[in-house]
Amino acid sequence: MIKKLDNNLRGPSEHNVRDQIVEAAAEYFSRYGYEKTTVSDLAKSIGFSKAYIYKFFATKQAIGEVICSNTLSAILKAIDEAMVGSPTASERLRRMFKAVVEASSQLFFEDRKLYDIAASAAGEQWQSCTLYQEQIKKIILEIVHAGRESGEFERKTPIDETVNAIYLVIQPYGNPLLLQHNLHLAEHAPMILSNLILRSLSP
């Protein structure tokens, strides 16, 4: 049951109210879907007026941005945790690729309607999605730098070209719009493709 929020409570900080709205919206979107939900639907379900919600969020997308950002941050956290203790840059790349695919696939299977928010973000290039893409590229850049410093990876190819190429290989399994068409390959793709990448990076 979606929790009704009390907009007559005295003294809640704006931050707390925003968090309450986002939490209730995530539950509502998860149940009914992002695309099918209006701000009026959401306001009615949680006991706020539409005008009160607009005090904190200018649009439905603004609410979706926060939910999407939280979801993508969880994927980034899973990637960081997977790479902890990696003895080499090569192993970090393997673990990173595997974590991206596993975390994205888990979202697809466990909460399809919240996955749909991520798909909307990817399709419309929301800021949360753009920032996520930049973070993935930053992780790849750090791995490539480390591999070049250790002598694991070749140095002749311009580093931005190398990073973008690796990112494009990962895209079909990290982009929600593309992942849904590649789920049947998700189990084996990380190992096969990361090995291919690593062979191309050999000095």
Side-chain angles (χ1 to χ4, degrees):
M1 181 177 179
I2 296 172
K3 183 180 179 181
K4 293 278 186 177
L5 305 182
D6 185 358
N7 58 345
N8 293 315
L9 288 174
R10 293 186 178 181
S13 70
E14 289 195 355
H15 179 76
N16 287 338
V17 174
R18 285 175 62 88
D19 287 347
Q20 287 180 315
I21 293 172
V22 169
E23 182 180 350
E27 183 181 348
Y28 195 90
F29 292 154
S30 180
R31 184 175 300 180
Y32 299 106
Y34 173 78
E35 294 294 343
K36 294 180 179 179
T37 301
T38 66
V39 174
S40 294
D41 294 333
L42 181 59
K44 183 177 180 180
S45 72
I46 61 180
F48 280 173
S49 69
K50 185 168 69 170
Y52 191 68
I53 289 182
Y54 279 133
K55 177 182 176 182
F56 297 93
F57 297 96
T59 62
K60 182 181 74 168
Q61 180 179 323
I63 303 173
E65 282 272 19
V66 177
I67 296 170
C68 187
S69 179
N70 292 342
T71 301
L72 296 176
S73 292
I75 294 177
L76 290 171
K77 181 180 179 182
I79 294 170
D80 287 340
E81 291 175 349
M83 294 190 301
V84 170
S86 302
T88 63
S90 298
E91 182 60 22
R92 282 182 67 194
L93 188 140
R94 288 192 183 94
R95 293 187 187 185
M96 182 271 294
F97 201 145
K98 183 179 180 182
V100 167
V101 177
E102 287 183 347
S104 300
S105 299
Q106 183 177 10
L107 176 63
F108 181 91
F109 285 114
E110 290 191 359
D111 204 333
R112 181 56 196 271
K113 288 189 170 65
L114 288 185
Y115 175 93
D116 290 343
I117 298 178
S120 293
E124 298 171 16
Q125 283 297 292
W126 292 3
Q127 184 181 19
S128 54
C129 187
T130 301
L131 291 174
Y132 171 73
Q133 293 166 350
E134 290 174 356
Q135 286 299 310
I136 293 294
K137 287 186 178 182
K138 182 180 177 182
I139 292 170
I140 295 171
L141 177 62
E142 290 171 353
I143 292 173
V144 174
H145 265 308
R148 290 187 173 194
E149 287 295 318
S150 67
E152 294 173 70
F153 301 160
E154 59 89 16
R155 296 168 176 256
K156 293 181 292 184
T157 308
I159 197 163
D160 58 338
E161 182 179 324
T162 299
V163 170
N164 286 329
I166 295 171
Y167 176 76
L168 289 174
V169 173
I170 293 174
Q171 271 285 80
Y173 307 95
N175 183 310
L177 289 175
L178 302 176
L179 174 62
Q180 58 189 324
H181 303 297
N182 294 290
L183 283 170
H184 62 294
L185 302 171
E187 182 178 355
H188 303 294
M191 180 183 69
I192 295 171
L193 293 177
S194 59
N195 285 340
L196 180 64
I197 292 169
L198 290 170
R199 284 195 294 272
S200 74
L201 294 175
S202 297

